[in-house]
Amino acid sequence: MEFHSPDSWREALEVKAAQPEAVAIFGGTDVMVDLNFDRERPGAVLDLTRVPELGEWGEGDGRLRVGAGVTYTRIISELGSELPGLAMASRTVGSPQIRNRGTVGGNLGTASPAGDALPPLYVSDAEVELASTNGTRRVPVVEFITGPKRNAMRPDELIAAFHIPRAEGPQQYAKIGTRNAMVIAVCAFGLALRPERKRVGACLGSAAPTPVRAREAEEFIESVLDWDSRGEIGDTELRRFGELVGEAASPISDVRGTAAYRTHAVGVLARRTLGWAWDEYRRGE
Amino acid sequence: MMIEQTEPATPTRERPDAPVTTPGKVGEHTERADGVPKVKGEFEYSSDLWMDGMLWGATLRSPHPHANIWSIDTAEAEEMPGVQAVLTHEDVPGRKVYGMEVPDQPVLAWERVRYQGEAVAIVAADHPETARRALEKISVQYEVLDPLTDPEEAMKEDAPRLHLSGNVLKRINILHGDVAEASASADVVVSGEYEVGMQDQAFLGPESGLAVPDGQGGVDLYISTQWLHLDRDQVADSLGLDPEQVRLTLSGVGGAFGGREDLSMQIHACLLALETGRPVKMAYNREESFFGHVHRHPAKMRYEHGATRDGELLYVKARLVFDGGAYASSSIAVCTNAATFACGPYEVPNARIESHMLYTNNPPCGAMRGFGAVQVCFAHEAQMDKLANELGMDPLELRIKNAVRPGIRFPFGQEVPPPAPVRVILERVGDMPLPEEEEVMGRDLRRLPGGVSNVTHGEGVRRGVGYAVGYKNIGFSAGFDDYSTARVTLSIEEGEPLVRIHTAAAEVGQGLITVEAQIARTELGVERVAVLQADTRVGSAGSTSASRQTYMTGAAVKQACEQVRARIFQKVREEYADEDLAIEDGDIVSGGESVVSLAELLGGEEIEETVEFHHRETEPLDERGQGNAHLQFAFAAHRAVVEVDTELGLVRVVEVATAQDVGKAMNPQALEGQIEGGIAQGLGLALLEEIQIKEGKIQNASFTDYLIPTILDMPSVRAEILELADPEAPYGLKGAGEPPTIASTPAIVAALRDATGRELARVPVKPEQIVGIAEKPPSEPPQPGSRGYSGIGHLDEREEH
Amino acid sequence: MRLRLNINGETREADGVWEGESLLYVLRERLGFPGSKNACEQGECGSCSVYLDGVLVCSCLVLAGQAEGREVVTVEGIAEGEELHPVQRAFVEAGGVQCGFCTPGLIVATHDLLGRNPDPTDAEIREALAGNLCRCTGYEKILDAVRLAAERMS
């Protein structure tokens, strides 16, 4: 097994161009488990923890650009007000030890339907910045994730960053686990209100082969919400929203939970989180 | 039985000096002797062992739960650079099978494998990665057979036989009184079917050890285990060696809970070490650990209780079916235990209990904390709640009314010995103040079901309270000659008296070595005590299981100290005085006056005594399931308060309160640790922990999917400890390790039932059960409360699947 | 490959390291620091917690080469000379240690917590230590230990 540990982005891309089969590693929360349990024996591993560019974030063209190597801990502490939904999701990831190492870039690379960072990216129409020695391109996250543990990366590409608008309104993230900490999502739900555009983003996690936007539910609730007078949402409408989110699910039954429960629970999370987010909006926070 | 005085062979590893401690007396707070090395990272666990030139062992395991083996080809593996040995069943020189009760498990499989994960071949190599690659090169031709995975199917006459003896490993019937007559006169009858999933001990330190050949055909094994001598005897048998040629030394044990009572890598590591002539270390990873030890038996239990209108129990009928898995392990004893405890600590005048233990192609099951009492307690306590509900009676009152008391007989015929304070412990948990009800809305997420996963801000959360009581035997039962050996040496070192205690009792984290030191301090009045590393140079101490070590090894140490003391007093009488002798802080006192110091009395002399303590004889059950089977009984009652998100099925346990009779609190802080830790495992079984098996294959062999409670799941514990002495036991003590794990599970589930109104007949309780859905979405959407998301209506009308 | 890193203030070297080894393996099996424990090797239990350049991590999830040239502090480096660190002292006194296999990870994680937050609430302690599984104690005495250490260190 070859080990590469470039200390610049340029060099990292060159390694990847020369050895497209090299497996990128950052926090190791997926790659190391595969190595430790003899599930994968890649020919080469490409360590990205020494690439300073990946740990940077900044703002430009109205959006944030967050390096793929910004850890969950830093998202919580540095980007909590800019990206509250993502910060809430980050807080549900593993333990402090995991959040200190794990990154959104890793969640994107692994493309697990249970990736906690993904629903917040979906609801904000984030884009993934991919780079190779041939240049960079941006792919909407919804197109980037193509299936369970599959993404649209070309073999010579690495994930450089994601681009995401600063929160325009209240955001929420909720996740079901049978334990009260340290769980992989049985199912999860991300929500973003965008009052200026009168839009709602709703995304299910771990309830389909990929995270899925609940478009019907979004359209339904957008048509119902009284954005200008900030009036209450009726029980019927909240419930309908939850049902429509549940209908967007196409889950499986596995050791973590049954399909029926996932469908049910994600609907409840949708109803509750919408209530919380709307309350926050009404309070003018 | 003979006291073994085997001369030590040349040690293959340097034996560290036993640390000298200054313990408190029995009953006083004493810090654990190994606490400092443990917090510094210096304590040597079995997986930390290391020697120059050491090789790494690895195990090839069957991927199939049931298959014929047609051939095993190791040639390619043997040729790999770095590989030093590849062994199969053909290389086992002695007995090719092992087992605690029945030697039915192959050391390495031949002809047939009976569970997924069964060991087929072993490898030693100079790096663990080389060993893993070598395993891939071993070619095994399997003919895959249909696995027999349902114990009820296994019981049928025409089921394929997994062992020559058939599939029924043990069957026990308890016939007590006249159930037919009693059932005719019952006013109220309740019945139910209950199920307990397969729990894992999930000790944190995976199986590991180091085998070192002694160069003379023998071997030293440094190992984490619960019973050194039983391991030694089984290892020696399979190696074809005399027991004296196999020396075991206990290394640091990372938890046990029953899971280290059977062998895992012991024989394998020794085979490889003897084959290669080099030290061999084996260390399972977490995944392999799930295949490397036995689990708690899954059980299906059908019950019927009959009572009078005013709540007097008339009879209990029960049919218990346990899945023993592929090999016997300690299943026979579990079957007996379950049968004897099936009715709970209640006065039951008539009973008919059937307990069945079956072989299947599921993972082998055996000892885990609670040992057969856990499963039946879940069922009998659910039945008691059901009965209380049917009678319109308070569940605590019903239990108190029927509680056993000294003098009556258990359904298995044994008289209830004093003290049996079941009524008292139930009253105590009933009298403890309930935790204050706090507003749920807007509470810190970390104090709500789901924690920081942010699933509720109080919506749907309802509180419930539940009670349960359970009991268990302490020590080995049913005619087993249970004993422990202790060697106590008093000498003068650096001018000060020092007591050395040597036993083979396994310290697995529970704090036994601290208690041993406290006993010596108490009996010999000497401040400095050193507890030697446990090994097989002294006689057997029996297993660290059945909550028995404080009783058994405690008694052996106490008696050895008493004999040492008698010899000292003899000397004193000869030379000094003979009135009212005592030892206080290293001085001999007579009539309150110091007559001579121990240092002066002994000079360079050592006084050593070795004692083998056997407990009172017990009897096996007769054909009607009757007999004085058990030595001692320990009781604990629990009250659980839970908050349930009734719409999502997620739970926060708010508090568990308990009252437990321990006879004597030997080391109060360590005792509390046993109680709190035992409750945490009970909570795990109630809510989280199950090895999920599909067609004989484990689906969740990892800490990602086998979930044990975190610090956010475990509530505070309110414990009331009763010290009602057992006149037969040393210091009046009762075993204390297991009772906390027994009734805590049913108490938590009772609280869930209280909050949700659901039957919840299976543990671990899944969110699906709480919200009442299994394979289909609910027929009706959940009813939102007044604001749509601030409360939840009634889910109770939905059927549980 | 060859590895050079600083452990508990001293430079250490290991030769012949297989590229697939974790930092945990290198610490335990090559460099003589077995204090960090190998309970799950998948980041679920926290027993292998160490500081990597001052950041609390699971050493089982750090590939050996990722630690090249870095500073690692393990449980063996927490005590101040012969004196136990107050966190260690508190775990012994409060009864936070039973089998002790989780203890090294908890010592390092608690050390990290109290460094960031000298006076944590119970909820904060629980959240911070949620990634450190203990199978023996039921956590009550671990909470006691953290509270005691916080009190003594303030």
Side-chain angles (χ1 to χ4, degrees):
Chain A
M1 204 173 109
E2 280 181 58
F3 178 75
H4 304 281
S5 194
D7 49 21
S8 76
W9 186 231
R10 181 74 239 161
E11 204 190 324
L13 294 175
E14 281 165 7
V15 172
K16 189 68 174 155
Q19 277 185 289
E21 75 284 2
V23 172
I25 183 170
F26 199 97
T29 55
D30 292 313
V31 175
M32 285 306 292
V33 177
D34 287 343
L35 284 175
N36 291 343
F37 287 90
D38 203 7
R39 290 171 196 151
E40 300 285 343
R41 285 292 178 262
V45 175
L46 172 53
D47 169 35
L48 297 172
T49 55
R50 288 172 212 274
V51 177
E53 295 91 324
L54 289 177
E56 294 165 0
W57 64 267
E59 206 161 354
D61 67 1
R63 308 189 111 200
L64 292 164
R65 180 187 182 279
V66 183
V70 176
T71 61
Y72 293 114
T73 298
R74 289 185 56 209
I75 285 173
I76 297 165
S77 62
E78 297 171 27
L79 291 164
S81 53
E82 285 84 355
L83 303 171
L86 184 60
M88 290 168 97
S90 301
R91 192 181 174 195
T92 75
V93 174
S95 57
Q97 290 90 326
I98 300 297
R99 297 193 286 274
N100 283 345
R101 288 287 283 177
T103 63
V104 177
N107 240 200
L108 287 164
T110 300
S112 159
D116 286 309
L118 302 181
L121 299 191
Y122 273 63
V123 296
S124 295
D125 297 315
E127 292 176 319
V128 184
E129 183 186 320
L130 300 169
S132 72
T133 49
N134 294 321
T136 61
R137 61 179 179 128
R138 287 200 201 176
V139 183
V141 67
V142 64
E143 290 167 31
F144 176 79
I145 308 280
T146 55
K149 309 232 167 158
R150 289 201 304 273
N151 61 37
M153 253 170 28
R154 294 174 191 140
D156 64 341
E157 283 180 325
L158 291 170
I159 300 167
F162 62 94
H163 297 256
I164 188 169
R166 179 189 279 274
E168 297 156 66
Q171 299 186 339
Q172 282 291 335
Y173 181 80
K175 133 172 159 184
I176 300 282
T178 45
R179 187 162 68 177
N180 291 335
M182 291 292 290
V183 278
I184 293 182
V186 173
C187 61
F189 184 73
L191 180 83
L193 302 188
R194 302 165 89 168
E196 281 171 31
R197 302 155 199 245
K198 302 189 174 171
R199 302 299 294 269
V200 173
C203 179
L204 298 76
S206 220
T210 67
V212 281
R213 283 285 285 268
R215 301 284 180 187
E216 265 187 65
E218 292 176 358
E219 283 164 24
F220 163 75
I221 204 69
E222 283 165 359
S223 73
V224 164
L225 293 174
D226 187 350
W227 296 94
D228 298 326
S229 73
R230 306 189 182 209
E232 288 191 19
I233 318 174
D235 290 351
T236 319
E237 287 75 20
L238 278 168
R239 199 156 64 233
R240 182 69 192 139
F241 178 69
E243 280 168 16
L244 288 169
V245 166
E247 283 171 23
S250 50
I252 53 166
S253 291
D254 63 13
V255 290
R256 294 176 194 144
T258 61
Y261 175 74
R262 288 184 155 110
T263 303
H264 161 75
V266 81
V268 175
L269 295 183
R271 173 158 48 79
R272 288 183 181 173
T273 54
L274 177 63
W276 302 332
W278 189 253
D279 260 10
E280 187 184 333
Y281 176 61
R282 293 184 67 210
R283 290 196 305 269
E285 286 167 10
Chain B
M1 199 148 299
M2 209 184 79
I3 298 172
E4 289 143 71
Q5 296 278 9
T6 312
E7 279 306 305
T10 316
T12 48
R13 288 184 95 240
E14 211 171 301
R15 225 171 262 282
D17 282 341
V20 174
T21 62
T22 51
K25 290 184 180 168
V26 161
E28 293 175 359
H29 168 71
T30 300
E31 272 179 21
R32 54 181 310 134
D34 56 13
V36 169
K38 282 177 174 174
V39 296
K40 291 171 88 176
E42 289 171 357
F43 187 76
E44 194 178 54
Y45 294 89
S46 53
S47 54
D48 302 336
L49 301 169
W50 196 92
M51 271 182 95
D52 269 332
M54 161 185 110
L55 299 172
W56 288 82
T59 313
L60 182 70
R61 295 178 182 278
S62 166
H64 310 294
H66 196 195
N68 286 324
I69 295 177
W70 292 121
S71 69
I72 306 172
D73 183 355
T74 60
E76 210 181 326
E78 282 163 28
E79 282 159 21
M80 281 179 64
V83 172
Q84 308 295 333
V86 184
L87 306 180
T88 68
H89 65 93
E90 290 178 4
D91 305 297
V92 179
R95 192 172 71 171
K96 289 180 189 287
V97 287
Y98 70 94
M100 296 178 63
E101 293 175 345
V102 182
D104 63 350
Q105 183 157 2
V107 174
L108 291 166
W110 74 93
E111 287 180 4
R112 201 167 177 194
V113 285
R114 295 179 182 79
Y115 74 99
Q116 180 206 22
E118 185 163 347
V120 176
I122 47 175
V123 164
D126 52 15
H127 189 281
E129 176 68 0
T130 313
R132 286 188 289 261
R133 298 285 69 81
L135 295 181
E136 278 184 348
K137 301 284 184 195
I138 300 171
S139 153
V140 183
Q141 261 198 315
Y142 292 105
E143 178 198 359
V144 177
L145 304 172
D146 283 340
L148 182 58
T149 58
D150 179 353
E152 291 285 357
E153 289 296 316
M155 217 182 289
K156 290 181 180 163
E157 286 296 319
D158 57 350
R161 288 160 85 89
L162 298 182
H163 291 268
L164 288 174
S165 56
N167 296 338
V168 178
L169 177 55
K170 182 75 181 169
R171 187 173 270 152
I172 289 179
N173 292 320
I174 290 182
L175 303 169
H176 171 59
D178 187 338
V179 169
E181 193 188 298
S183 63
S185 60
D187 299 320
V188 182
V189 173
V190 292
S191 60
E193 205 166 332
Y194 304 94
E195 198 175 335
V196 173
M198 186 186 286
Q199 192 180 16
D200 190 69
Q201 297 84 353
F203 41 70
L204 277 199
E207 293 85 346
S208 47
L210 177 73
V212 186
D214 67 6
Q216 297 157 42
V219 64
D220 277 292
L221 180 62
Y222 303 86
I223 183 75
S224 46
T225 180
Q226 292 175 231
W227 190 350
L228 287 165
H229 283 76
L230 188 63
D231 281 14
R232 182 199 61 180
D233 293 349
Q234 294 187 81
V235 169
D237 275 351
S238 289
L239 296 177
L241 296 176
D242 291 334
E244 297 73 45
Q245 291 175 283
V246 179
R247 292 162 302 269
L248 268 66
T249 303
L250 190 73
S251 59
V253 182
F257 318 115
R260 293 188 211 271
E261 218 173 21
D262 285 81
L263 299 181
S264 55
M265 41 56 68
Q266 283 88 331
I267 303 173
H268 298 163
C270 292
L271 282 170
L272 290 168
L274 290 171
E275 172 73 18
T276 59
R278 288 166 66 175
V280 173
K281 171 166 165 173
M282 292 186 93
Y284 294 174
N285 67 23
R286 180 53 54 188
E287 186 179 33
E288 189 170 19
S289 177
F290 276 97
F291 297 99
H293 61 261
V294 297
H295 315 290
R296 190 192 296 290
H297 294 84
K300 283 191 181 159
M301 301 165 285
R302 217 156 56 207
Y303 267 78
E304 185 181 304
H305 278 59
T308 63
R309 178 61 52 206
D310 59 359
E312 192 180 314
L313 280 178
L314 291 179
Y315 72 93
V316 173
K317 285 198 269 185
R319 181 175 186 272
L320 319 170
V321 178
F322 293 91
D323 185 347
Y327 296 103
S329 180
S330 52
S331 287
I332 292 172
V334 168
C335 189
T336 307
N337 256 27
T340 53
F341 301 121
C343 297
Y346 302 114
E347 182 170 2
V348 176
N350 305 284
R352 192 167 72 216
I353 313 294
E354 302 166 41
S355 182
H356 306 263
M357 181 63 72
L358 279 302
Y359 281 123
T360 66
N361 290 119
N362 288 323
C365 289
M368 182 175 173
R369 197 176 198 169
F371 203 76
V374 164
Q375 292 92 331
V376 292
C377 187
F378 173 62
H380 66 64
E381 289 306 271
Q383 281 286 99
M384 292 301 278
D385 282 342
K386 209 179 240 190
L387 185 60
N389 190 47
E390 197 67 29
L391 290 163
M393 209 169 157
D394 177 77
L396 202 54
E397 193 192 322
L398 176 70
R399 287 175 169 86
I400 291 170
K401 186 180 178 73
N402 290 285
V404 287
R405 54 182 195 280
I408 66 158
R409 290 191 183 274
F410 288 115
F412 53 95
Q414 185 166 351
E415 193 176 299
V416 178
V422 178
R423 184 194 174 106
V424 175
I425 58 176
L426 283 164
E427 285 169 350
R428 292 291 175 90
V429 291
D431 290 346
M432 285 187 218
L434 281 162
E436 257 175 61
E437 296 234 25
E438 288 174 79
E439 175 58 40
V440 285
M441 299 303 292
R443 204 193 274 172
D444 187 324
L445 285 176
R446 293 167 291 204
R447 301 180 56 249
L448 283 166
V452 300
S453 292
N454 188 40
V455 294
T456 177
H457 295 177
E459 299 87 342
V461 175
R462 253 196 245 158
R463 179 160 150 144
V465 181
Y467 296 89
V469 63
Y471 77 132
K472 180 161 188 307
N473 55 327
I474 305 303
F476 293 153
S477 299
F480 191 92
D481 177 21
D482 190 10
Y483 71 97
S484 179
T485 316
R487 182 178 299 154
V488 170
T489 313
L490 175 63
S491 61
I492 306 301
E493 312 251 328
E494 290 159 2
E496 296 287 328
L498 174 70
V499 180
R500 285 200 182 80
I501 302 171
H502 190 188
T503 79
E507 166 65 49
V508 299
Q510 81 279 38
L512 176 68
I513 54 170
T514 319
V515 168
E516 289 175 30
Q518 288 175 275
I519 291 172
R521 168 83 179 84
T522 306
E523 298 302 327
L524 290 173
V526 167
E527 279 186 4
R528 300 191 314 149
V529 183
V531 178
L532 275 57
Q533 205 164 7
D535 58 33
T536 52
R537 293 178 306 152
V538 62
S540 175
S543 180
T544 295
S545 65
S547 305
R548 65 180 279 290
Q549 285 294 21
T550 302
Y551 189 129
M552 297 298 298
T553 298
V557 170
K558 181 169 187 277
Q559 290 188 356
C561 288
E562 285 164 356
Q563 292 187 9
V564 168
R565 192 176 57 203
R567 281 179 55 191
I568 292 169
F569 288 171
Q570 186 56 38
K571 282 176 84 73
V572 175
R573 284 193 193 96
E574 284 161 12
E575 297 174 41
Y576 298 93
D578 64 353
E579 249 175 79
D580 192 16
L581 295 178
I583 313 174
E584 282 173 18
D585 297 334
D587 279 336
I588 309 294
V589 179
S590 172
E593 298 278 308
S594 174
V595 289
V596 61
S597 73
L598 272 176
E600 197 188 325
L601 182 76
L602 292 181
E605 190 187 348
E606 271 192 1
I607 298 191
E608 180 172 295
E609 287 292 337
T610 303
V611 163
E612 205 175 78
F613 171 79
H614 296 247
H615 73 56
R616 171 171 61 72
E617 224 175 290
T618 58
E619 303 165 359
L621 298 179
D622 66 19
E623 68 283 359
R624 293 179 60 82
Q626 304 292 302
N628 293 318
H630 299 305
L631 169 69
Q632 186 189 51
F633 302 93
F635 305 89
H638 293 81
R639 180 191 70 200
V641 179
V642 301
E643 287 176 346
V644 194
D645 183 334
T646 51
E647 204 177 1
L648 288 173
L650 303 182
V651 178
R652 169 179 176 253
V653 180
V654 178
E655 186 201 79
V656 176
T658 183
Q660 181 172 337
D661 173 29
V662 302
K664 173 76 186 170
M666 301 290 283
N667 184 359
Q669 188 189 60
L671 172 66
E672 287 167 19
Q674 286 299 302
I675 291 174
E676 290 152 7
I679 288 171
Q681 292 182 3
L683 182 150
L685 179 59
L687 298 173
L688 300 169
E689 296 183 32
E690 181 177 11
I691 296 185
Q692 298 186 45
I693 297 170
K694 207 165 150 186
E695 286 155 16
K697 293 189 178 179
I698 298 182
Q699 306 294 300
N700 56 336
S702 74
F703 272 179
T704 307
D705 284 313
Y706 185 90
L707 302 180
I708 65 173
T710 72
I711 195 169
L712 269 166
D713 297 283
M714 183 59 196
S716 64
V717 168
R718 188 194 290 261
E720 238 183 84
I721 293 164
L722 282 73
E723 296 184 86
L724 306 173
D726 174 348
E728 282 189 22
Y731 306 105
L733 73 84
K734 289 182 159 193
E738 289 170 290
T741 308
I742 295 169
S744 45
T745 303
I748 289 167
V749 179
L752 294 176
R753 291 190 196 106
D754 183 47
T756 64
R758 293 195 179 278
E759 193 177 350
L760 307 179
R762 185 184 197 284
V763 282
V765 177
K766 300 212 163 86
E768 279 87 342
Q769 289 166 267
I770 294 174
V771 302
I773 50 173
E775 293 309 313
K776 323 194 280 285
S779 50
E780 299 225 340
Q783 296 291 310
S786 59
R787 281 289 295 112
Y789 51 89
S790 63
I792 168 73
H794 298 283
L795 291 160
D796 302 356
E797 69 275 11
R798 283 206 306 273
E799 291 228 332
E800 196 176 343
H801 293 261
Chain C
M1 67 181 182
R2 165 173 261 209
L3 209 59
R4 195 182 156 90
L5 63 166
N6 184 296
I7 301 173
N8 302 334
E10 283 179 31
T11 302
R12 301 281 178 149
E13 278 186 38
D15 265 327
V17 174
W18 170 56
E19 291 78 1
E21 289 173 13
S22 65
L23 171 60
L24 175 66
Y25 181 90
V26 171
L27 289 171
R28 290 175 51 77
E29 305 293 345
R30 294 194 180 276
L31 299 173
F33 293 91
S36 311
K37 290 289 168 274
N38 55 333
C40 84
E41 293 179 89
Q42 56 189 147
E44 293 284 351
C45 78
S47 313
C48 65
S49 298
V50 301
Y51 286 106
L52 179 66
D53 279 355
V55 177
L56 182 75
V57 304
C58 289
S59 59
C60 71
L61 298 183
V62 177
L63 191 57
Q66 292 184 300
E68 166 69 31
R70 307 273 191 203
E71 282 183 17
V72 176
V73 176
T74 70
V75 66
E76 290 99 332
I78 297 290
E80 290 138 2
E82 280 305 294
E83 279 288 291
L84 290 184
H85 185 276
V87 169
Q88 294 171 313
R89 190 65 242 154
F91 267 74
V92 176
E93 276 179 38
V97 179
Q98 285 189 30
C99 91
F101 212 78
C102 68
T103 304
L106 273 159
I107 296 294
V108 181
T110 303
H111 187 270
D112 176 64
L113 165 67
L114 297 181
R116 288 182 287 114
N117 180 357
D119 186 22
T121 63
D122 279 3
E124 286 166 343
I125 297 170
R126 288 184 190 269
E127 187 176 5
L129 300 182
N132 290 82
L133 296 178
C134 169
R135 191 56 162 167
C136 295
T137 64
Y139 301 106
E140 187 99 343
K141 303 274 182 270
I142 289 172
L143 277 164
D144 288 347
V146 179
R147 293 183 198 117
L148 180 63
E151 192 188 304
R152 290 203 180 139
M153 287 165 71
S154 64

